[in-house]
Amino acid sequence: AQKITQTQPGMFVQEKEAVTLDCTYDTSDPSYGLFWYKQPSSGEMIFLIYQGSYDQQNATEGRYSLNFQKARKSANLVISASQLGDSAMYFCAMRPQGGGSNYKLTFGKGTLLTVNP
Amino acid sequence: DGGITQSPKYLFRKEGQNVTLSCEQNLNHDAMYWYRQDPGQGLRLIYYSQIVNDFQKGDIAEGYSVSREKKESFPLTVTSAQKNPTAFYLCASSMWQGGRTEAFFGQGTRLTVV
């Protein structure tokens, strides 16, 4: 069974500082994808970044980077130079990949990030 | 523009009534998903589907039903058997295979039982 754990219900960061949001996962699938989403108070889900389990390098997308440690089964999101607009709920998610695998997309419970001016 | 459309945005239901939430996508995605989100909580998977006429129960399928008669459409029915249906419902779709299979989400439907 797949499981995503986000141990930080809430995080605070000062504007312009970096912040790390934790995510650990558990799966028996040999190939999988890891995703981070942002959910502002409006409710929409915004895709931020993707990491494949066989990718050699950590993913980066602008101010977002994913600190992927496969042996530790962790996929932490790093946001550099935080902005007030980064205040939102952040979700880590995982999906098996590869032919014949199931395609269940599982989410963690989320971390509420508040950026202080 | 390609995307996922959920309707209605807000829905009110009387106790004992069934109600159907619409989800349509024009992204040519194979997989579609329905999630429930309660205030301050994460997303819990209700049902998901890979291809037409096939779908699987998620973690909280009781009291819900779905159909997948067309690739583009994946409606969710909240039945009277669902004991606490008031929640925010999100529909998503993604490619099934391929390296990057991120899900795209609709704007959500807020269901309130009155």
Side-chain angles (χ1 to χ4, degrees):
Chain A
Q2 302 162 217
K3 187 176 181 181
I4 297 280
T5 302
Q6 294 181 253
T7 57
Q8 306 154 315
M11 288 282 286
F12 293 88
V13 65
Q14 288 298 122
E15 193 178 7
K16 299 181 185 177
E17 292 185 351
V19 62
T20 298
L21 306 183
D22 294 341
C23 172
T24 58
Y25 61 90
D26 192 18
T27 182
S28 57
D29 292 285
S31 179
Y32 48 89
L34 295 155
F35 310 86
W36 277 92
Y37 287 84
K38 172 184 178 181
Q39 187 181 43
S41 56
S42 60
E44 62 184 311
M45 292 288 286
I46 302 168
F47 166 72
L48 297 177
I49 196 166
Y50 162 84
Q51 178 82 45
S53 59
Y54 286 106
D55 291 344
Q56 295 298 312
Q57 293 188 322
N58 287 344
T60 60
E61 293 280 355
R63 293 186 300 111
Y64 304 108
S65 60
L66 203 152
N67 183 2
F68 180 47
Q69 297 186 47
K70 192 172 182 178
R72 299 180 64 180
K73 293 190 175 180
S74 74
N76 299 338
L77 177 70
V78 180
I79 305 174
S80 63
S82 297
Q83 302 172 355
L84 295 177
D86 293 335
S87 292
M89 198 74 167
Y90 288 81
F91 292 99
C92 180
M94 177 177 66
R95 211 201 88 163
Q97 291 177 329
S101 61
N102 79 76
Y103 42 95
K104 186 177 180 181
L105 179 60
T106 303
F107 283 80
K109 293 190 174 182
T111 296
L112 181 61
L113 177 66
T114 303
V115 180
N116 293 319
Chain B
D1 288 337
I4 299 181
T5 302
Q6 287 187 244
S7 62
K9 190 172 182 179
Y10 298 96
L11 188 56
F12 296 90
R13 189 196 91 172
K14 291 183 179 179
E15 284 193 27
Q17 285 183 338
N18 291 354
V19 64
T20 297
L21 282 58
S22 171
C23 179
E24 304 273 337
Q25 55 100 358
N26 60 4
L27 299 167
N28 199 33
H29 283 166
D30 302 298
M32 295 189 74
Y33 306 83
W34 273 107
Y35 292 91
R36 169 182 172 141
Q37 187 177 28
D38 294 288
Q41 300 298 311
L43 279 67
R44 292 187 290 169
L45 183 62
I46 305 172
Y47 269 99
Y48 56 114
S49 168
Q50 174 193 342
I51 57 174
V52 172
N53 294 324
D54 181 67
F55 46 82
Q56 305 295 326
K57 291 183 179 180
D59 300 316
I60 56 164
E62 185 175 350
Y64 300 97
S65 66
V66 293
S67 63
R68 187 89 185 272
E69 296 178 0
K70 300 186 299 181
K71 186 177 184 179
E72 302 79 19
S73 179
F74 192 41
L76 174 74
T77 297
V78 185
T79 74
S80 56
Q82 170 48 236
K83 303 236 181 289
N84 184 20
T86 295
F88 185 51
Y89 292 87
L90 283 160
C91 179
S93 72
S94 73
M95 294 298 292
W96 173 48
Q97 288 184 320
R100 182 165 150 166
T101 54
E102 72 266 29
F104 294 81
F105 282 81
Q107 295 296 306
T109 294
R110 291 194 183 275
L111 173 63
T112 303
V113 173
V114 296

